[in-house]
Amino acid sequence: MSSRNLSAAQLSGLVKAGDIVIPGDAELPSFSRSGASAHVDRMFDYMHDSDRDGLKLLFSIFNVLPAFLLRGILKLSEKDKALPGPLGAAARMINVGVKGVVMTLYYSDTDQVGINQAIGWDAKCDELDLPEGVEEVAAKEAPQALAAAASSEAERATMLARAGAAALSRLSVKERSAYVASLRDIVLRRREQIIDRIQADTAKSRSDALMSEIYGVLEALHWLEKRAPKLLADRKQYTPLSMLGKSSWTWYEPLGTVLIISPWNYPFIQALIPIASALLAGNTVIYKPSEHTPLEGLIEELLAEAQVPPNWVRIVYGDGSTGAQCVAARPDKVFFTGSTRTGRKIAAQASELLVPVELELGGKDPMIVFADADVQRAAAGALWGALTNTGQSCTSVERLYVERPIYDAFKSELTRQAERIVQAVDSDGSADIGEMTTGFQVEIVARHLEDARAKGAAVLCGEQWDGKSKAIPPIVLDRVSDDMLLAVEESFGPLIPLMPFDGEEEVIARANDSEYGLTASVWSKDLERARRVARRLACGGVSINNVMLTEGNPALPFGGVKNSGFGRHKGEHGLHGFCNIKSVLIDKDSNKIEANWYPYTTEKYRLFSDLLTHLFGRRRSALIKFAATGMKLEKYSDKAGKRGREQ
Ligand code: NAD
């Protein structure tokens, strides 16, 4: 076999390292037997020159090293973090670079008959709900051919993603996180091009794209790649005293293939964070972006550059009907972010199929400013919270409650700052807000504004908007009542309804009087009071003396209550949401017959009943009595059980 990129010696060095990393076992062929190295050119064509040259040099060296020495070097490279300077960098190159090449070549090619048989593809096909006529093909053909017979793109993508699932699940979390680290490097390096693409689809300001989408993705990927190995490691759990001699565990295993459906407001964040979380937990992904901001081809390009095999993430483009087809293809979980209206439809469809669903839906988030807050800073926070992404954020400030003693001062400060906002779809980062992304959202904002005016609201700034243009300026409103549409329904635009309040009890009741419950913020110098109010708010997250910040920290779970959805994304809980949390109890090869096994006798009943008194009673001597009764019961049960077996 020959290669355009590698000499014969380099190729042999790669295969030598490949066989050490993947020696094969009863189920899987070794690297050299899999024929994976035949695809080396495809991968090397994608690489950057410096990476390619570094790897070629390493493969040349590997070729001449004795196998035992190479094995030692590969093992040592796992300690890359402990090694100093250039030694550490070289070890990292070997650990992540060489192993990455080997793993990707080995697992990415789903046409390899050896691997497909080994991972039980044929068996998997049997479990799928296949379209008519496909079963015959499945018996003979590899997944690509099988998927070609699927009745829709959604079904085809699901089949291919399922084909990739077994291979991905075999990797350790550390190996998976190497892909996430590589993705992070690529996003950082290519951020300006990515921002161009985001702006083209969404019409956001350049700084909005940088500070929310790029920063948000980098922070989250960084957290995930560092924390996932620990958070997904087997965890020892409490074992009750009555189960002495056993140990209890939770294992965090993949669900299989998960469907991620995203909205249009943050198309980059809503793609990469759930995709990376699902992959780290060992799942393959079907990703359905919004038809309004598909970023067509971009996510595929970045994943390919990070050497993520194509069947680990399949992207399906289309509108709601395509989304419904993806649900119908029966993924192992649906992770949905979008409107409450669509969330209901998806939950209904998935419930028929008994597919678990997580829903991250809309909000009508309150910001509560007490009279002791710093007016200038709170107004600046309110402005950013209401206007970032031109108000098209699920956690935007949509109701602004200000305590009466500072209401007028706050109103003038907010209006003064709002009038200075610069609006443009800029190319140099100098604009504060961009335009609205979709025409239908402009219509909703116009309807809310018209309704508020008709019911007596006063427009303090933004009067110049014609009710049609996508460049909606910040619109601050006074004399807002709780029955106006903009105080009740999600506006998802740059409207800032200001409302005065008198005291804690009143504002808590008004803030909670909403069908939504996503996030909130509370502003006060009195932290005791701020905490007290935060505890009583019915929502999934509260920022104190800041705004929209809980979702900025990737370690904190994100999600809502009421019509804002259920389940949690991000943080430890979010990562575990992509897992089958398997409970395991290990009884170390005991030959005892358990007390709660048969036969049941009156004597056993009495001893067991005494044991409960000693175990759960409050008397100090109970533990000694528990031990004595426990031993008696154990002996009695063992004898009775064995006698029963012999008879
Ligand atoms: P949407 O519900 O209209 O669409 C979201 C996605 O669902 C799109 O990809 C769409 O094609 C798809 N879809 C539509 N009908 C479907 C169906 N029947 N089956 C399967 N998929 C279907 O929402 P949108 O207008 O794109 O986004 C705005 C909404 O998203 C707002 O309500 C906002 O608050 C919410 N949102 C929530 C969060 C959060 O994390 N809670 C984050 C961002 C946006």
Side-chain angles (χ1 to χ4, degrees):
M1 197 198 55
S2 64
S3 151
R4 265 185 290 111
N5 289 284
L6 301 185
S7 68
Q10 288 162 344
L11 208 51
S12 131
L14 162 67
V15 173
K16 198 161 157 189
D19 272 351
I20 291 174
V21 177
I22 305 173
D25 55 28
E27 293 179 353
L28 280 176
S30 65
F31 183 81
S32 53
R33 278 191 41 239
S34 73
S37 55
H39 303 275
V40 76
D41 282 328
R42 226 163 14 116
M43 172 178 270
F44 270 67
D45 287 344
Y46 266 117
M47 277 183 195
H48 275 261
D49 289 346
S50 57
D51 292 345
R52 199 183 293 129
D53 293 346
L55 284 164
K56 280 167 144 181
L57 179 65
L58 282 173
F59 293 150
S60 303
I61 299 170
F62 290 175
N63 184 42
V64 294
L65 286 180
F68 78 90
L69 200 55
L70 180 53
R71 187 168 291 112
I73 290 174
L74 287 170
K75 188 94 203 114
L76 188 70
S77 71
E78 286 165 18
K79 309 246 175 301
D80 59 313
K81 288 202 183 72
L83 296 170
L87 221 52
R92 232 172 341 271
M93 177 80 180
I94 297 174
N95 191 27
V96 180
V98 174
K99 288 184 187 167
V101 168
V102 166
M103 293 285 184
T104 310
L105 284 172
Y106 187 76
Y107 286 112
S108 64
D109 187 17
T110 48
D111 276 320
Q112 287 172 49
V113 176
I115 293 179
N116 288 327
Q117 280 167 354
I119 64 179
W121 164 250
D122 292 345
K124 274 232 167 289
C125 290
D126 291 339
E127 293 158 23
L128 290 175
D129 210 356
L130 299 173
E132 254 177 64
V134 161
E135 284 88 341
E136 292 80 48
V137 187
K140 305 184 211 91
E141 302 285 355
Q144 244 84 10
L146 166 67
S151 65
S152 67
E153 182 49 30
E155 194 172 51
R156 194 181 92 84
T158 309
M159 287 173 174
L160 291 173
R162 281 202 185 284
L168 173 59
S169 70
R170 281 170 193 270
L171 297 190
S172 69
V173 181
K174 210 165 165 221
E175 284 162 338
R176 293 174 208 152
S177 69
Y179 289 95
V180 176
S182 164
L183 194 57
R184 176 166 61 88
D185 289 342
I186 294 161
V187 171
L188 183 63
R189 182 164 35 80
R190 294 185 52 183
R191 60 185 179 274
E192 290 301 321
Q193 290 162 281
I194 296 170
I195 291 173
D196 287 342
R197 293 293 315 275
I198 295 173
Q199 278 195 299
D201 273 20
T202 62
K204 328 185 166 210
S205 72
R206 204 158 180 86
S207 291
D208 260 346
L210 176 75
M211 293 184 202
S212 297
E213 302 240 42
I214 302 290
Y215 162 70
V217 162
L218 292 174
E219 188 77 275
L221 296 189
H222 182 254
W223 184 85
L224 280 167
E225 91 203 30
K226 298 282 178 259
R227 304 291 301 172
K230 193 158 176 226
L231 294 175
L232 297 175
D234 298 350
R235 215 173 270 191
K236 196 162 186 183
Q237 303 289 355
Y238 163 80
T239 304
L241 201 55
S242 54
M243 295 187 188
L244 212 64
K246 284 117 181 143
S247 65
S248 310
W249 298 84
T250 39
W251 294 350
Y252 299 88
E253 298 188 345
L255 291 166
T257 297
V258 301
L259 167 62
I260 295 168
I261 302 181
S262 291
W264 49 262
N265 60 337
Y266 287 104
F268 194 61
I269 277 201
Q270 304 290 4
L272 283 202
I273 301 181
I275 287 175
S277 308
L279 285 178
L280 276 167
N283 303 283
T284 55
V285 172
I286 305 128
Y287 173 60
K288 211 297 278 168
S290 166
E291 62 276 32
H292 304 293
T293 54
L295 298 180
E296 198 148 346
L298 177 69
I299 308 297
E300 291 93 324
E301 208 179 299
L302 301 175
L303 290 169
E305 198 174 331
Q307 294 170 21
V308 172
N311 285 352
W312 288 5
V313 182
R314 304 295 317 189
I315 304 190
V316 183
Y317 295 99
D319 60 11
S321 61
T322 306
Q325 285 172 353
C326 290
V327 177
R330 276 191 130 107
D332 296 299
K333 174 168 182 163
V334 181
F335 178 86
F336 172 75
T337 308
S339 65
T340 301
R341 187 188 62 254
T342 308
R344 276 205 181 89
K345 285 190 205 159
I346 290 178
Q349 188 186 3
S351 75
E352 284 297 315
L353 304 167
L354 277 187
V355 170
V357 181
E358 182 164 333
L359 301 178
E360 303 286 347
L361 309 177
K364 188 75 198 167
D365 292 1
M367 169 168 171
I368 299 170
V369 187
F370 283 98
D372 61 351
D374 177 327
V375 169
Q376 204 182 359
R377 182 171 183 271
L383 205 63
W384 184 80
L387 299 182
T388 183
N389 211 30
T390 325
Q392 303 163 111
S393 299
C394 52
T395 54
S396 288
V397 172
E398 293 234 351
R399 293 178 290 157
L400 183 45
Y401 299 106
V402 181
E403 208 169 16
R404 205 172 299 274
I406 59 160
Y407 185 79
D408 287 336
F410 189 94
K411 186 167 74 177
S412 342
E413 180 59 24
L414 183 75
T415 313
R416 187 183 70 79
Q417 292 188 26
E419 278 164 351
R420 293 186 178 170
I421 289 290
V422 176
Q423 182 165 38
V425 185
D426 59 323
S427 56
D428 62 358
S430 62
D432 297 312
I433 63 171
E435 296 186 354
M436 298 289 286
T437 300
T438 67
F440 58 80
Q441 203 60 48
V442 172
E443 284 170 23
I444 293 173
V445 173
R447 187 160 56 81
H448 285 192
L449 186 60
E450 209 178 290
D451 170 79
R453 275 199 176 113
K455 289 176 180 155
V459 175
L460 301 181
C461 79
E463 188 71 65
Q464 72 277 18
W465 182 48
D466 63 4
K468 292 193 180 75
S469 156
K470 281 189 179 172
I472 310 182
I475 301 178
V476 180
L477 294 116
D478 189 17
R479 298 211 297 270
V480 173
S481 54
D482 289 345
D483 64 334
M484 293 176 183
L485 288 179
L486 56 64
V488 179
E489 293 179 7
E490 189 179 42
S491 304
F492 225 56
L495 299 183
I496 317 181
L498 261 173
M499 292 169 274
F501 72 90
D502 298 291
E504 237 172 278
E505 288 303 319
E506 181 201 311
V507 79
I508 292 169
R510 284 172 71 190
N512 285 342
D513 184 18
S514 168
E515 64 169 292
Y516 295 108
L518 197 49
T519 72
S521 70
V522 182
W523 300 66
S524 171
K525 286 204 174 76
D526 179 353
L527 285 183
E528 197 51 48
R529 169 169 59 184
R531 278 199 206 97
R532 190 166 63 230
V533 172
R535 278 194 201 281
R536 290 183 59 197
L537 293 177
C539 59
V542 184
S543 298
I544 292 179
N545 291 323
N546 214 306
V547 69
M548 290 180 75
L549 208 53
T550 47
E551 60 265 47
N553 178 356
L556 287 176
F558 178 75
V561 299
K562 300 195 271 186
N563 287 355
S564 291
F566 46 75
R568 289 294 178 267
H569 178 40
K570 303 205 278 197
E572 176 176 353
H573 299 80
L575 205 50
H576 289 170
F578 286 112
C579 295
N580 167 26
I581 304 177
K582 189 179 272 178
S583 297
V584 178
L585 189 133
I586 302 174
D587 191 346
K588 271 182 261 148
D589 197 26
S590 156
N591 63 356
K592 273 185 311 192
I593 299 296
E594 296 286 341
N596 61 314
W597 294 355
Y598 303 129
Y600 288 169
T601 65
T602 312
E603 176 62 3
K604 189 188 269 190
Y605 185 92
R606 190 188 61 76
L607 286 169
F608 206 102
S609 185
D610 283 355
L611 191 86
L612 296 185
T613 309
H614 301 317
L615 186 56
F616 300 111
R618 289 172 184 262
R619 302 261 299 276
R620 297 199 77 192
S621 62
L623 208 58
I624 303 166
K625 287 189 178 164
F626 161 74
T629 316
M631 273 158 61
K632 249 196 232 168
L633 178 62
E634 192 178 288
K635 221 163 149 190
Y636 175 85
S637 304
D638 201 38
K639 255 194 192 161
K642 284 177 180 154
R643 209 179 310 125
R645 248 191 337 209
E646 280 152 17
Q647 275 165 9

